[in-house]
Structure formats: C-alpha cells, structure tokens
Amino acid sequence: MLSVKELRNLGASLKREAFRKQLGPFVLIQRPPNTSITQTDRMGLPANVQGTFISKKQDPTAAMLAMFFEFEDLVVASIPPIEGNDALSVGRQPDCDLVLDDGSVSKRHAVLTWDSEKKQCRLKDLGSTNGTFLNASSKVRSEVTLRDGDILSFGDVQFWYVLSETLHQRLQPKSSALPRGV
C-alpha cells in the first residue's frame, strides 16, 4: 500500500489518463489498518484461530471525519487494475482481490463490479456476518451503485471510494478539489 503522500509525486508527474491507467478507474483509500485486536474482540478465540468475530458496532462518524482530515497519511489499498466489466472480491480469504486481514470481515464479504461502459462501480454484500455499509448509515442489502466520495465499510474496515480522476486532481499542487460531500 502507498500513502497519499507517496502518490503525490506520481500524480504530479503523470497526466490524468496515465495516472488512471496505473491505478485503475477507482481507488479505495483508508486509514492505516489497526492491527491491535484484543482477545476480547476475538470472542475468546485462541490466537491461532482465524475466525470472524462480531463487530463492536462503534460509531463510524469519527473514523469518517478522520479520513478527511488525515488525507496525506491515508493509504491506497492495493487492488488489481481493472477494465471492462471486472469484479473484485473483498474478504479475508487469501484468494480475494482485496484481502482484509480483520476479524470483522467475512471470508467472502462483498464484491465490487466495475462497468466501464457506464463508468460506475456496483457494490454487493455476500451475506457477511457484520454487513457492508455505505456512508455509515445504509446497510447494503442488495447491489448498490457507488458515487465518487462514498465511504464503504466492510465490517469495521472503512474505505473512501474515489475515482482515479478525482484523486489525480486532488494530488495536484494548490488543488482544493475534493470529492462530493467533503
């Protein structure tokens, strides 16, 4: 994973289309993952057992605000660049496209599907234990279309969904452009 600060040079040196080609049509940005899971969080499972635990259902508002104010320190998740009508699996399993090593994330949690013709991404929960949420308030029950600047939560793990063009613009010197809602 690269931090936004590390991507700044790449964004400044590449034209928008080349930047998009490097990263794909969208990026998922998050705070650096918290690796300090306590035994209580894991519902008493031994340290060597990798199971899903029930989320503590904390108020995600503070984490969402931190994402906006800690922009330079956020990290861009490593996902394979996609084109056409590609789907990306999200979960704890090592064969997922976006592997989230967090016990609140199910083995096969959700799927993101990019439609290049419509230039949009759809999100679908796969029956996860702790759910998939959109903008901290809407539990994803069926497939939903994402908008630039949406906040996605897979269990306790949150991402900012940003189109590559928006990120490129945001990384430009003296840019004040932010995604919708910021």
Side-chain angles (χ1 to χ4, degrees):
M1 288 193 208
L2 293 173
S3 72
V4 169
K5 193 181 301 181
E6 293 167 327
L7 275 178
R8 192 167 290 286
N9 287 337
L10 182 66
S13 67
L14 294 177
K15 296 206 180 285
R16 184 174 54 186
E17 189 53 39
F19 185 79
R20 183 191 180 286
K21 206 169 217 172
Q22 287 285 320
L23 295 179
F26 66 89
V27 294
L28 297 175
I29 302 174
Q30 73 176 137
R31 294 172 80 187
N34 180 3
T35 56
S36 61
I37 297 173
T38 66
Q39 196 65 15
T40 307
D41 294 334
R42 296 176 40 79
M43 297 187 322
L45 293 172
N48 62 344
V49 175
Q50 295 295 320
T52 304
F53 62 79
I54 303 301
S55 173
K56 289 191 230 174
K57 301 294 180 205
Q58 299 171 359
D59 179 18
T61 307
M64 287 175 60
L65 285 173
M67 289 176 78
F68 297 125
F69 293 109
E70 298 172 0
F71 184 72
E72 291 293 316
D73 297 321
L74 300 178
V75 293
V76 177
S78 300
I79 56 175
I82 58 175
E83 292 297 330
N85 293 329
D86 287 340
L88 296 172
S89 57
V90 178
R92 267 193 354 261
Q93 290 283 74
D95 61 339
C96 287
D97 297 305
L98 177 57
V99 177
L100 302 178
D101 189 20
D102 184 282
S104 70
V105 176
S106 294
K107 291 177 184 176
R108 296 254 177 236
H109 198 99
V111 66
L112 293 160
T113 305
W114 176 256
D115 184 334
S116 64
E117 194 172 295
K118 294 180 182 178
K119 295 187 179 189
Q120 66 183 19
C121 189
R122 293 183 314 279
L123 170 66
K124 181 178 181 182
D125 183 83
L126 298 176
S128 63
T129 301
N130 290 307
T132 301
F133 292 85
L134 183 61
N135 297 322
S137 60
S138 304
K139 186 170 185 177
V140 175
R141 299 187 191 284
S142 61
E143 193 170 68
V144 297
T145 300
L146 299 177
R147 296 185 307 175
D148 195 16
D150 278 342
I151 301 292
L152 315 177
S153 299
F154 306 103
D156 292 337
V157 182
Q158 294 181 326
F159 289 93
W160 190 6
Y161 169 83
V162 180
L163 294 174
S164 295
E165 288 87 358
T166 302
L167 179 59
H168 184 264
Q169 183 179 10
R170 179 69 175 104
L171 294 175
Q172 299 308 303
K174 298 179 187 171
S175 174
S176 62
L178 290 173
R180 176 190 57 75
V182 179

